[in-house]
Amino acid sequence: MTNSSDRLGKIVAEPEPIELDWTKTALVIIDMQRDFMEPGGFGETLGNDVSQLARAVQPIRSVLSAARDVGMLVIHTREGHLPDLSDAPPAKVERGAPSLRIGDPGPMGRILIRGETGHDIIPELYPLDSEIVIDKPGKGAFYATEMSDILQKYGIENLLVCGVTTEVCVNTTVREANDRGYRCIVISDGCASYFPEFHEIGLKMIKAQGGIFGWVASSAAVLEALKTSKTE
Ligand code: C5J
């Protein structure tokens, strides 16, 4: 985005509209990995119906395409662990009674392990070579990652956030970002949860109390704002 005539955009959002400088805005796509989206991955080992997440793919695709068109910074995240599990706390690995634990061999390789097929991003949203991919061991994109350094390097102040799952990694990342001073606009239909009610509540928790953690907008509203960007 080099032309100052299309730097600013106003997004119809809740709890109120928000105007953004696109040159200071990044699209952050959280954990759209096979391990969460497809049968045989981490999400399913926890007993979840992974088909619940498919609805987020098309809205994210549309926003990703528009972001690429305007040259917006795009950041993809992946939750996962090193093959020796040195970054996987026992408290996470040993939790619950999943059908397979983190690090166990599954149909898409070792569950939630970096470099395995299941850990990678789904083909529909696969990152371009020029885009940033952040590998994170936790739910939030800031914990034990280079996220802060990257956002500072590119002068980013605003994050358009989407991905899965709404109440876990999306919410955790938004809360981390909010505490660090970023304006977060969560793309409602670009997020999904294995539990539709958690999706709804997860969005409500972000926009409640005057936008205590951020703003919520539909993908259509984000696309419209990108289309109708105006001169300062
Ligand atoms: C979960 C995530 N749900 N990406 N991770 O464990 O939300």
Side-chain angles (χ1 to χ4, degrees):
M1 198 179 308
T2 50
N3 188 346
S4 67
S5 68
D6 51 18
R7 252 175 11 103
L8 299 177
K10 191 169 191 173
I11 303 178
V12 176
E14 292 181 297
E16 60 193 6
I18 177 167
E19 187 162 67
L20 299 180
D21 180 338
W22 299 123
T23 65
K24 296 179 180 173
T25 302
L27 174 64
V28 180
I29 305 177
I30 304 286
D31 300 0
M32 292 300 286
Q33 298 161 252
R34 291 176 181 263
D35 252 319
F36 295 105
M37 304 295 297
E38 295 184 10
F42 179 61
E44 194 178 70
T45 69
L46 299 176
N48 296 308
D49 170 10
V50 295
S51 71
Q52 289 289 341
L53 304 189
R55 67 192 71 180
V57 175
Q58 195 47 50
I60 297 176
R61 242 182 129 163
S62 309
V63 175
L64 176 59
S65 169
R68 284 172 174 166
D69 284 349
V70 300
M72 186 182 291
L73 184 72
V74 177
I75 299 174
H76 305 256
T77 71
R78 299 186 294 204
E79 180 181 345
H81 297 283
L82 296 168
D84 65 2
L85 295 182
S86 57
D87 62 350
K92 181 176 182 183
V93 178
E94 292 164 4
R95 194 165 315 178
S99 57
L100 292 172
R101 291 196 187 274
I102 295 169
D104 284 350
M108 293 190 287
R110 294 177 67 202
I111 299 291
L112 216 59
I113 297 296
R114 295 184 191 176
E116 303 286 347
T117 302
H119 176 262
D120 214 350
I121 291 169
I122 58 170
E124 299 94 311
L125 301 173
Y126 209 76
L128 301 178
D129 286 345
S130 58
E131 291 169 353
I132 294 165
V133 179
I134 291 190
D135 282 316
K136 61 187 183 64
K139 304 304 182 194
F142 288 81
Y143 168 67
T145 73
E146 61 279 33
M147 184 73 161
S148 287
D149 291 342
I150 288 170
L151 297 179
Q152 273 172 33
K153 175 176 160 195
Y154 286 93
I156 297 299
E157 296 177 0
N158 318 305
L159 306 179
L160 298 176
V161 187
C162 55
V164 296
T165 61
T166 316
E167 79 281 13
V168 183
C169 290
V170 171
N171 247 273
T172 305
T173 297
V174 166
R175 289 165 190 231
E176 287 180 328
N178 180 62
D179 278 351
R180 287 164 174 79
Y182 295 98
R183 296 178 199 91
C184 294
I185 298 88
V186 177
I187 303 172
S188 51
D189 52 338
C191 299
S193 170
Y194 301 118
F195 308 93
E197 69 273 28
F198 289 179
H199 171 78
E200 292 306 324
I201 294 290
L203 296 178
K204 276 187 184 162
M205 284 169 26
I206 288 162
K207 67 187 178 187
Q209 304 178 70
I212 194 121
F213 296 122
W215 289 254
V216 175
S218 65
S219 60
V222 172
L223 293 172
E224 184 63 21
L226 277 165
K227 211 169 69 187
T228 57
S229 297
K230 64 174 177 57
T231 313
E232 207 167 6

